[in-house]
Amino acid sequence: MRRKRNVQVVSNEKFTGIKYTEPASYAAGFSAVKVSLDHLSKETGTLRGIKILSKMNQKDGFDCPGCAWPDPDDKRSVLGEYCENGAKALAEEATLKKVGPSFFKLHSIEELSQWSDFQLGKSGRLTEPMILKPDAVHYEAISWSEAFDKIGESLKKLDHPDEAIFYTSGRSSNEAAFLWGLFARAFGTNNLPDCSNMCHESSGVALAETLGIGKGSVKLDDLYKAEVVMIIGQNPGTNHPRMLSALQKCKEAGGKIISINPLEEAGLKKFKNPQRIKDSLTGGTALTDVFLQVKINEDIALIKAINKVLLEKHAEGNAFINETFISDKTHGFEQLKADLQNHNSLRLIEQAGIRIEDFNAAIALLAPAKKIIICWAMGLTQHKNAVENIRECVNLLLLKGSIGIPGGGTCPVRGHSNVQGDRSVGIMHHPSEALNKSIAQNFGFTPPTKHGSDTVHAIKDMHEGRAKVFIALGGNFAAAASDSYYTAEALEKCSLTVNISTKLNRTHLIAGETSIILPTLGRSEKDIHNGSNRKLSVENSMGKVHSTRGALEPASSNLMSEPEIIGRIAEATLGAAHVVPWKALSCDYESIRNKIAATIKGFENYNDRIADNKEFYLPNNARIADFSKLENGTAKFTINQVSNHQLEADEFLLMTVRSHDQFNTTIYGLDDRYRGVHNERRVIFMNAVDMKKNDVEEGSVVNITSTYDSVVRRANNFIIKSYDIPQQNLAAYFPETNVLIPIDQYADRSNTPISKSIRVRIEKVQ
Ligand SMILES: Nc1nc2c(c(=O)[nH]1)N[C@H]1C(S)=C(S)[C@@H](COP(=O)(O)OP(=O)(O)OC[C@H]3O[C@@H](n4cnc5c(=O)[nH]c(N)nc54)[C@H](O)[C@@H]3O)O[C@H]1N2
Ligand SMILES: Nc1nc2c(c(=O)[nH]1)N[C@H]1C(S)=C(S)[C@@H](COP(=O)(O)OP(=O)(O)OC[C@H]3O[C@@H](n4cnc5c(=O)[nH]c(N)nc54)[C@H](O)[C@@H]3O)O[C@H]1N2
Ligand code: SF4
Ligand SMILES: [Mo]
């Protein structure tokens, strides 16, 4: 494709000067407090930094803009309830640096694209609506009303509503997300891809099929009551740091922890709670009791082996599975038993790469336990067989009868702070009949029933000319999606790309013919209307809904709230006479919540239930072991195939993970302190035996290639780091490595890109 603008698609490949330390033996501790304050002071000044931290996660304060981990019910410690990464997320949003018209006059998008993602993010908050006109390479200021008119005109000009894509990232409030989904449907399309498609979609598919709800079943309290918590494919020390306080409580109540991961992450070893003085004296709490260093994407083999051995030992007369639960509450058990008989447990354990003594130690904990929680994240969800990964975990919980009881259940640990809420209020490309009916009843228009495109298919739609306008409610689509060059071509083919954003990122540079940036308020900022500071609401990873109210002065006086931006786009597109009074509704958050209450089950009396800082849980059938919605009215056992990668001798499976200094595509800094890497992101973690075989040393520079089809995809310039990782497995950071994932390599049924098991080779750079 001939590109009009000479824009670099991926972060620049220059090295920044690597330094090494030993990987950490524990997470958090006082250093975490210091790092938090350093980040905040650097971006906001020390006093402002401390002041705003004291508002985060407090009643009547704002919800942390970081991850979706729930606040404990007894929140309000002196320092406020936050972690190092919450403080970093806040520092990013509260920064005093600004990106306004003069910045864009100075820097063309061609020049900006040469900057690293780290440099782009550090340039500051967007302050004015901006437009990039056809053939231009500099953004220039545009008024809000002109911007809305342009967007409205472009949408109205399309031949069919399905030519528009409405992307959502997971930071938007319930109110914004509800309006966004409603607008897309009023316009006539279900093209509502979201970051979930790249994240926990596999969990949603597997859990809905087996347990009748696509969300986890446990509450925070359950973690304190569990006998065994299994943490699979998740790095909480970095990505959900306050989960470690919950795990600490679990351990102190006598619970045991089994960690399953190709890497022994520091946060899973030991935790020194920075908010407990005792911990700095005693050295903290050891977390993991049994570490199973599974090979990448061999979790099915491992869990199958566990299930098989538990069944066999039960048959020998031990009460190791829950027969009553199985007969009353499940179907498909006989098929599961028959399938397990076809497998050899020693061979499964070997395939998973687990030492037999470690396996036996895990069985010793699991066999007598009745209250088991399985927590997981991207290590399970981003593989070709991701849905099966999760179904196999459900099999284990069903065998043990450990669903719908206190201290037992499923715990998919969500990413973005409101990604779960966005789904609850209608961000999905395949709406249910019930939702459509309810929208028609409550709003007086008929929503489309044809399923829309998810992330991967939206990219293909744009690439193949079926979609022409792309509008994103947050996120950094170009950097987060797979096959970076293909995705860039897709966006650049659009007639219009629009980003509703807080911060500058690469997607603003990978522009359609015309591109518009609409700057919006962040979670931490005051949202003043008619003299009062409006509150919004969100849902955490465990299904609890609560309010959030910003406390900081906005980064600019010309920012608009997300709901109002959506209302204005909708009015410009559908007209002021549309059955939905878009503009008026979008300013009145209480009315939006009343509409949500009327449209979506579980939100009844929404306003009352979040008044005066109250919170409420959404209904959850798995939490009460009610499977009446499913076939036979019971939960479903499933048969899942073990992986079969058959790597060539010179091939590896690469997992693309987060460093300790990033939030997805936002790069906070260049350190990965817990893994002992500093001042560099172009790193590839490799087993020492593989290094020898491949004739590379620590510090050698390699290019990484993947060949799935006729295209050779490459990511250049990575420094080898010797690491304790299984042989023929590699790890490197995302999004630098997204270029390696072909657009067509995604999980069966959930369509999530295979970000954790990419077949690659390495080539030494002389
Ligand atoms: N600070 C910070 N917090 C975040 C984020 C962030 O970027 N920064 N991102 C947010 C988002 S959107 C999300 S989705 C979550 C992500 O949270 P995580 O899922 O914890 O994030 P990843 O870094 O992708 O880590 C995946 C973990 O899975 C392991 N793993 C990889 N492949 C396999 C496998 O095949 N089997 C097993 N058993 N393990 C495997 C890796 O070694 C790693 O420890 O975090 C959220 N919170
Ligand atoms: N290779 C590989 N790729 C992956 C993953 C992986 O593990 N490996 N993980 C995947 C996962 S789990 C996810 S969730 C996706 C993430 O995909 P996205 O959600 O698209 O990406 P983010 O980096 O979270 O988006 C950051 C941008 O969001 C904007 N933003 C921040 N806060 C707000 C706000 O309050 N409102 C608005 N409107 N905008 C805001 C800022 O402009 C910022 O630059 O990436 C996926 N991609
Ligand atoms: S654990 Fe997540 S939600 Fe809690 S303070 Fe840390 S980043 Fe924020
Ligand atoms: Mo995510």
Side-chain angles (χ1 to χ4, degrees):
M1 180 188 130
R2 196 185 70 85
R3 297 178 63 204
K4 277 199 203 145
R5 305 181 181 107
N6 186 17
V7 169
Q8 189 170 301
V9 167
V10 293
S11 191
N12 81 44
E13 294 168 354
K14 288 191 204 113
F15 295 125
T16 40
I18 193 165
K19 294 191 197 83
Y20 308 99
T21 53
E22 282 299 307
S25 55
Y26 68 91
F30 190 70
S31 50
V33 176
K34 187 177 172 312
V35 173
S36 316
L37 291 176
D38 284 353
H39 270 261
L40 266 164
S41 317
K42 214 150 116 200
E43 298 292 336
T44 69
T46 310
L47 273 180
R48 182 173 144 99
I50 292 174
K51 194 173 144 224
I52 51 190
L53 255 187
S54 69
K55 275 282 187 185
M56 188 156 87
N57 292 341
Q58 299 294 300
K59 297 225 185 259
D60 206 36
F62 56 89
D63 186 54
C64 172
C67 76
W69 189 255
D71 301 323
D73 288 329
D74 57 348
K75 44 182 151 184
R76 256 183 272 182
S77 69
V78 191
L79 278 172
E81 262 294 328
Y82 65 91
C83 72
E84 174 186 342
N85 277 310
K88 288 180 186 167
L90 182 57
E92 276 301 298
E93 196 170 290
T95 181
L96 297 171
K97 294 182 210 128
K98 307 277 154 81
V99 172
S102 55
F103 175 93
F104 287 110
K105 203 171 261 171
L106 200 63
H107 307 292
S108 72
I109 58 165
E110 293 179 341
E111 181 201 337
L112 289 171
S113 75
Q114 306 292 321
W115 297 15
S116 66
D117 290 334
F118 174 53
Q119 291 166 303
L120 287 178
K122 284 286 171 240
S123 46
R125 284 288 300 275
L126 296 157
T127 59
E128 308 282 329
M130 303 295 303
I131 183 164
L132 182 75
K133 293 184 176 155
D135 297 321
V137 289
H138 285 270
Y139 273 97
E140 52 192 277
I142 182 173
S143 71
W144 280 104
S145 44
E146 273 180 281
F148 293 133
D149 287 345
K150 279 231 177 285
I151 297 167
E153 269 165 41
S154 296
L155 286 172
K156 283 188 279 191
K157 259 202 310 231
L158 294 175
D159 291 330
H160 192 280
D162 286 340
E163 290 180 358
I165 307 286
F166 298 95
Y167 176 68
T168 316
S169 171
R171 278 225 181 127
S172 295
S173 59
N174 284 355
E175 291 80 356
F178 176 74
L179 276 192
W180 192 230
L182 192 70
F183 165 54
R185 295 181 176 112
F187 179 64
T189 184
N190 283 312
N191 282 344
L192 284 160
D194 71 338
C195 64
S196 259
N197 301 144
M198 301 180 261
C199 185
H200 264 296
E201 190 75 57
S202 310
S203 309
V205 171
L207 293 174
E209 175 193 0
T210 53
L211 302 175
I213 180 165
K215 302 181 185 183
S217 72
V218 303
K219 292 183 180 176
L220 194 51
D221 269 3
D222 290 312
L223 279 159
Y224 313 150
K225 298 175 194 151
E227 291 165 89
V228 178
V229 177
M230 299 175 77
I231 302 169
I232 316 188
Q234 194 207 344
N235 179 17
T238 286
N239 298 312
H240 307 90
R242 278 196 307 159
M243 179 172 167
L244 301 189
S245 338
L247 294 175
Q248 185 176 42
K249 265 195 167 175
C250 167
K251 289 289 307 232
E252 286 172 351
K256 300 286 179 196
I257 296 176
I258 301 174
S259 299
I260 303 180
N261 199 309
L263 305 180
E264 193 174 9
E265 307 281 21
L268 292 170
K269 289 186 202 164
K270 194 182 217 185
F271 177 49
K272 282 193 205 171
N273 193 331
Q275 302 195 338
R276 290 193 350 186
I277 295 165
K278 184 176 119 194
D279 281 23
S280 56
L281 303 174
T282 59
T285 310
L287 294 180
T288 295
D289 294 281
V290 178
F291 171 53
L292 302 177
Q293 190 165 27
V294 71
K295 290 187 195 162
I296 292 177
N297 197 217
E298 295 298 353
D299 300 271
I300 294 178
L302 172 59
I303 308 290
K304 248 187 189 325
I306 291 175
N307 292 345
K308 182 173 166 75
V309 170
L310 288 176
L311 266 175
E312 284 167 358
K313 292 195 184 254
H314 179 81
E316 290 161 11
N318 308 292
F320 286 168
I321 66 169
N322 187 334
E323 283 182 22
T324 320
F325 182 91
I326 294 171
S327 68
D328 291 357
K329 293 280 183 185
T330 71
H331 64 276
F333 175 64
E334 290 307 320
Q335 290 92 315
L336 180 87
K337 217 161 117 183
D339 173 67
L340 289 176
Q341 269 155 11
N342 294 329
H343 289 274
N344 174 310
S345 45
L346 285 178
R347 226 172 286 144
L348 289 171
I349 297 165
E350 191 193 334
Q351 174 165 352
I354 305 297
R355 292 191 311 200
I356 191 75
E357 55 273 31
D358 295 337
F359 180 84
N360 288 338
I363 292 290
L365 294 182
L366 288 166
K370 297 197 164 54
K371 295 183 280 182
I372 300 167
I373 292 177
I374 303 187
C375 303
W376 71 90
M378 299 303 99
L380 288 192
T381 64
Q382 299 176 327
H383 301 278
K384 177 99 173 111
N385 54 357
V387 173
E388 294 194 87
N389 267 338
I390 294 146
R391 297 199 314 184
E392 197 59 34
C393 292
V394 171
N395 283 344
L396 169 55
L397 291 172
L398 292 178
L399 283 175
K400 300 291 295 182
S402 202
I403 297 247
I405 57 165
T410 52
C411 183
V413 185
R414 303 279 163 179
H416 275 291
S417 54
N418 197 38
V419 63
Q420 188 158 314
D422 292 351
R423 271 289 162 98
S424 297
V425 298
I427 300 298
M428 66 192 60
H429 54 283
H430 48 79
S432 63
E433 256 176 59
L435 178 66
N436 281 336
K437 224 171 107 188
S438 182
I439 289 177
Q441 262 168 14
N442 283 292
F443 292 95
F445 69 83
T446 310
T449 50
K450 184 185 152 213
H451 287 187
S453 293
D454 56 16
T455 294
V456 161
H457 293 92
I459 297 168
K460 292 175 76 101
D461 289 346
M462 293 185 271
H463 205 278
E464 289 163 21
R466 288 187 297 276
K468 299 185 173 106
V469 172
F470 170 86
I471 315 186
L473 180 61
N476 183 2
F477 193 81
S482 44
D483 223 345
S484 312
Y485 290 96
Y486 182 92
T487 297
E489 282 170 13
L491 287 166
E492 288 180 341
K493 282 180 180 179
C494 288
S495 58
L496 177 69
T497 49
V498 180
N499 285 280
I500 303 168
S501 313
T502 51
K503 307 251 345 224
L504 182 66
N505 66 45
R506 198 157 292 274
T507 308
H508 304 125
L509 315 178
I510 315 261
E513 193 180 2
T514 300
S515 170
I516 293 176
I517 301 174
L518 302 175
T520 192
L521 291 168
R523 184 77 65 75
S524 57
E525 289 168 322
K526 289 181 188 161
D527 182 353
I528 306 286
H529 183 70
N530 291 341
S532 76
N533 186 13
R534 291 178 286 193
K535 70 175 179 200
L536 290 160
S537 51
V538 291
E539 175 186 341
N540 68 32
S541 193
M542 292 172 181
K544 195 203 259 175
V545 181
H546 61 93
S547 62
T548 169
R549 198 194 303 266
L552 297 182
E553 288 310 317
S556 134
S557 57
N558 205 16
L559 302 182
M560 203 181 278
S561 76
E562 288 182 346
E564 287 193 55
I565 293 175
I566 298 161
R568 296 285 296 274
I569 294 177
E571 191 183 84
T573 310
L574 303 170
H578 190 257
V579 285
V580 182
W582 290 102
K583 195 169 154 187
L585 180 64
S586 72
C587 298
D588 181 354
Y589 301 171
E590 270 191 34
S591 297
I592 303 175
R593 287 190 287 270
N594 284 335
K595 287 290 182 189
I596 297 175
T599 314
I600 295 172
K601 243 181 105 195
F603 284 93
E604 297 76 13
N605 303 319
Y606 195 173
N607 278 304
D608 292 344
R609 285 201 287 165
I610 59 164
D612 306 322
N613 307 312
K614 283 192 296 243
E615 315 174 307
F616 67 93
Y617 280 97
L618 290 170
N620 187 313
N621 65 282
R623 187 168 286 160
I624 50 172
D626 167 10
F627 306 111
S628 52
K629 278 198 286 194
L630 290 165
E631 191 189 323
N632 301 334
T634 54
K636 178 178 171 183
F637 279 108
T638 55
I639 310 296
N640 304 300
Q641 307 304 319
V642 294
S643 304
N644 181 18
H645 285 287
Q646 301 191 354
L647 297 176
E648 305 278 338
D650 64 342
E651 273 188 318
F652 298 86
L653 282 186
L654 167 71
M655 53 179 178
T656 59
V657 298
R658 289 150 173 82
S659 80
H660 193 64
D661 247 2
Q662 70 183 91
F663 194 94
N664 300 340
T665 68
T666 300
I667 312 301
Y668 299 143
L670 302 174
D671 296 342
D672 196 2
R673 182 168 99 239
Y674 291 161
R675 298 195 186 108
V677 173
H678 302 265
N679 203 43
E680 186 59 79
R681 291 183 51 82
R682 306 199 72 82
V683 178
I684 183 159
F685 297 89
M686 197 176 201
N687 180 296
V689 175
D690 285 334
M691 284 168 57
K692 221 170 175 172
K693 270 194 203 156
N694 286 270
D695 192 25
V696 290
E697 290 157 17
E698 182 145 297
S700 298
V701 176
V702 297
N703 295 334
I704 317 171
T705 62
S706 70
T707 26
Y708 281 84
D709 45 31
S710 56
V711 185
V712 182
R713 292 174 176 79
R714 47 178 77 241
N716 291 329
N717 281 356
F718 287 81
I719 299 170
I720 299 274
K721 163 94 179 102
S722 172
Y723 210 75
D724 183 6
I725 182 173
Q727 283 181 48
Q728 284 196 287
N729 285 184
L730 298 171
Y733 304 127
F734 112 86
E736 286 83 348
T737 41
N738 287 38
V739 51
L740 295 166
I741 312 167
I743 194 73
D744 284 321
Q745 292 296 322
Y746 47 76
D748 298 331
R749 298 178 58 211
S750 68
N751 301 350
T752 298
I754 55 152
S755 305
K756 294 290 187 278
S757 47
I758 317 165
R759 288 172 83 106
V760 298
R761 291 188 164 83
I762 56 164
E763 318 167 327
K764 205 167 159 179
V765 176
Q766 294 308 329

